[in-house]
Amino acid sequence: MTDASLPAGRFSEGEFRVGHVFSRAWSVFSGNILTFMVVTGIASLPPLLIPKPVPGAPVAPYGNLGMTFLAFFLMIVLGTLSQAIVLYGAFQDMRGRPVSLADCFRVGLHRFFPIIGLAIAMGVGVMLASIFLIFPGFILYMMWFVATPVCVVEQLGPFRSLGRSRELTKGHRWKIFGLSLLILVPALIVGTIIVAVMAFLLGTGSLLGLPGAFASPLGQLVNLIWSAAWGAFYAVLIVVTYHDLRVAKEGIDTDQIAAVFE
């Protein structure tokens, strides 16, 4: 059976188009922006646990180390889990079906422990590779780009998911690299604009005063909204990348990939 949103014959084996991935990801994201931002907004909360410096107060370099590590760990775990939750909604949209937030959470949480193991394995692997040089860590990230969708859809364990992602991305990693630049560069530009606007609205006088500005309630709210929007689109992009890689390499359609959810 061929999904109505994916016309038969549109793809052929070995075909993977960056432009199609980006345009389809934007279509799925824009059609479910509030639903997905609720999920990624929750995943963006851990940085708020880190105590903000008080102007004029003495600085204790290691005073908040425990809370910082906790926030960092939760960022990795919740970030990966949010991708798994958004994944189901993205597939439902691509199949022309309604997106239910409750169903998204149910499917994502069903694979909770494998996802947590995957997040830790990826984080440790990329970090260790980056200790020596940034480039090896970046290569690993491109190889493991679709590991989370693999873990959820194909129901594999953490290490098998990494291997399967390596297999799917083989031959297309430069395209994935280009896709990453296509979204990272505009994100940096938008982020810079947000910083400049925050500096103006909060009267910091210069960009150097922004740490204190973002510690304000308004600054935290703006940062949370931007993080939620960016995280939601990025999660959808990873899902569509996984979908199109499987279509291109295996010649299957959307319903066949998503049959595991039935």
Side-chain angles (χ1 to χ4, degrees):
M1 178 171 58
T2 302
D3 179 19
S5 64
L6 185 65
R10 182 167 185 174
F11 292 91
S12 59
E13 189 174 351
E15 187 176 8
F16 177 76
R17 298 196 298 268
V18 169
H20 179 267
V21 172
F22 184 83
S23 62
R24 191 169 212 187
W26 178 256
S27 175
V28 173
F29 165 73
S30 59
N32 304 275
I33 184 170
L34 293 180
T35 301
F36 292 159
M37 281 183 63
V38 168
V39 178
T40 53
I42 294 174
S44 301
L45 291 175
L48 299 179
L49 296 174
I50 303 175
K52 304 298 185 294
V54 179
V59 178
Y62 304 104
N64 301 320
L65 194 58
M67 192 60 71
T68 300
F69 275 116
L70 174 62
F72 183 71
F73 175 77
L74 289 177
M75 285 171 60
I76 294 176
V77 171
L78 293 180
T80 307
L81 184 59
S82 69
Q83 289 184 23
I85 294 171
V86 169
L87 178 144
Y88 178 75
F91 265 106
Q92 289 296 89
D93 184 276
M94 288 190 287
R95 300 167 82 189
R97 301 184 181 185
V99 177
S100 165
L101 186 58
D103 288 342
C104 290
F105 272 95
R106 175 181 56 81
V107 171
L109 291 175
H110 177 68
R111 296 288 294 165
F112 180 79
F113 290 108
I115 289 168
I116 299 306
L118 176 64
I120 295 173
M122 289 180 65
V124 171
V126 172
M127 182 180 66
L128 290 177
S130 300
I131 288 176
F132 301 99
L133 286 172
I134 295 177
F135 193 63
F138 189 78
I139 291 175
L140 281 182
Y141 186 72
M142 292 297 101
M143 290 170 58
W144 297 342
F145 194 76
V146 296
T148 300
V150 166
C151 185
V152 177
V153 176
E154 302 181 37
Q155 301 186 8
L156 301 178
F159 293 106
R160 291 184 62 194
S161 295
L162 295 177
R164 171 66 168 157
S165 177
R166 185 174 66 249
E167 172 190 328
L168 285 174
T169 57
K170 185 177 181 180
H172 298 290
R173 289 169 196 154
W174 280 111
K175 290 184 178 180
I176 295 174
F177 172 73
L179 181 64
S180 300
L181 289 182
L182 188 63
I183 59 173
L184 286 175
V185 172
L188 289 174
I189 294 173
V190 173
T192 301
I193 294 173
I194 291 175
V195 166
V197 171
M198 289 294 296
F200 174 77
L201 292 178
L202 298 175
T204 60
S206 71
L207 299 184
L208 297 177
L210 275 176
F214 276 111
S216 68
L218 177 59
Q220 291 182 351
L221 178 61
V222 170
N223 191 49
L224 180 63
I225 293 173
W226 167 243
S227 298
W230 160 250
F233 179 70
Y234 189 69
V236 172
L237 188 82
I238 292 175
V239 174
V240 176
T241 300
Y242 166 76
H243 169 274
D244 283 14
L245 283 172
R246 287 200 63 186
V247 170
K249 288 203 164 190
E250 301 170 354
I252 60 179
D253 62 30
T254 308
D255 282 316
Q256 288 175 309
I257 298 173
V260 67
F261 299 130
E262 299 298 338

